[in-house]
Structures are given as C-alpha cells and as structure tokens.
Amino acid sequence: MKKILVIGASNSPSSINKQLAVWAAEQIQDAELTILDLNDFELPLYHPQRHKEGIPELAQAFYNHISDCDGVVISFAEHNGSYTAAFKNIYDWASVINSKTWQEKPLFLMATSPGGRGGISVLDAAAARFPHMGGQVLATFSLPSFGQNFDDGISNDELLMKFKDALDTFAEGIG
C-alpha cells in the first residue's frame, strides 16, 4: 500500500485546495492517506535568530511526515501570485532541517481558485522551485473556477480527463 501525504497549502478552515487535494488523493488505488491541516503546524515566523534557538517540534513533525510517505499530493492556494503565508512559513522551517525538503519524493502539484486562472502562478512557481528542493515533480494540474468545476469531484469532463492523465502519471511514478 502506498503512503500518500496530502497537503492543502492553505490554513483556511474551508480551503478549496484542501478539498481538491483530499479528493485527488482518494482517487489513488491502494493508498493510505495522511492528511495534514496547516492549522496543526502554526509556528512563529521563521528568521535566522529563531533558527539558532532550535527547530520547533512542529517543523520537525512536518518534515517527518514527508520522510514517512511514498509520495506527496499538494494543492496550493494562491495569495498575490504566490504561496500562502501559512505554507511558506512551514516550508521555510522544514527547509532548514534539510535543504532537500521534499527528500526526493514524487510530487503531484495542483492548485485551484475561484477564478479562471486556477492558481496557475503559484503552481508554476512550485513546479519550478521544488525540484531544487529535492522534489520529483511528476505531474501538475490546475483547476480553474472551483465553484463551477467541482462538486464532490471535478464536474467538467475536459478538466477531469486532464486530471486523470496527471493522476495516472503520478500513481505510476510512485509504484
């Protein structure tokens, strides 16, 4: 059984990105899911002086979740064209534990938003950056206009086919 780490990269209690990430991971055959809520990893804002005081337990716990999985499914909320502050902060803390934060794990990167661009700016940024941080980006997918295209699953047939192709690529890559 594949161990999949699922991250909705937002701390919104009603995160559409968490909904998408969980639904996507549930489509993987023979998978054991560990679903993270970024609200469970609230940390002080990273800066070098705090780092000198030591690594917070929650940052180590987040990093350990990555260590313990076979692959990671992440869906990004986009704030001003980039990661949410909550995700960026935990990511910064994890990166000082190991600059190869993703530990050569296969990644399925996604994004969604209420708008027509579907978080593509943050998705592109993550897809470009994460290989330098030890991630094997196997597939990406953007879901535009979440409210019109998602209702207990992707409701747009064309987008669903693109999603399935991306998911198949990811699932094959994790064995």
Side-chain angles (χ1 to χ4, degrees):
M1 183 164 289
K2 304 166 199 137
K3 293 181 180 180
I4 306 298
L5 182 61
V6 183
I7 303 169
S10 167
N11 63 342
S12 169
S14 59
S15 170
I16 60 176
N17 280 280
K18 185 175 180 183
Q19 289 176 53
L20 178 61
V22 170
W23 177 82
E26 288 173 343
Q27 308 311 302
I28 301 168
Q29 298 291 321
D30 300 318
E32 175 187 325
L33 307 182
T34 298
I35 301 166
L36 299 188
D37 185 329
L38 292 188
N39 291 299
D40 296 333
F41 295 90
E42 286 191 21
L43 295 164
L45 288 176
Y46 176 81
H47 63 69
Q49 286 73 26
R50 282 199 178 116
H51 178 202
K52 288 178 185 175
E53 296 168 9
I55 302 293
E57 288 181 30
L58 289 175
Q60 186 66 57
F62 181 85
Y63 181 82
N64 291 347
H65 280 294
I66 298 167
S67 298
D68 294 341
C69 75
D70 298 313
V72 182
V73 173
I74 306 173
S75 187
F76 296 95
E78 184 174 281
H79 288 188
N80 298 315
S82 191
Y83 310 114
T84 64
F87 178 78
K88 181 69 168 86
N89 193 48
I90 188 66
Y91 182 51
D92 287 345
W93 275 111
S95 73
V96 297
I97 295 169
N98 180 351
S99 65
K100 300 295 184 185
T101 306
W102 301 109
Q103 305 169 50
E104 304 308 320
K105 302 293 179 168
L107 305 175
F108 182 15
L109 305 181
M110 299 182 296
T112 191
S113 72
R117 288 188 31 85
I120 197 71
S121 294
V122 69
L123 182 60
D124 287 347
R129 183 74 196 134
F130 285 12
H132 301 287
M133 304 295 289
Q136 296 178 27
V137 178
L138 300 184
T140 63
F141 175 76
S142 170
L143 180 67
S145 305
F146 183 84
Q148 289 83 31
N149 292 316
F150 192 92
D151 182 21
D152 294 325
I154 298 172
S155 54
N156 176 296
D157 290 339
E158 182 180 331
L159 292 170
L160 182 59
M161 292 299 293
K162 289 180 181 178
F163 166 79
K164 286 182 176 180
D165 287 344
L167 183 72
D168 288 347
T169 298
F170 174 71
E172 289 170 13
I174 58 174

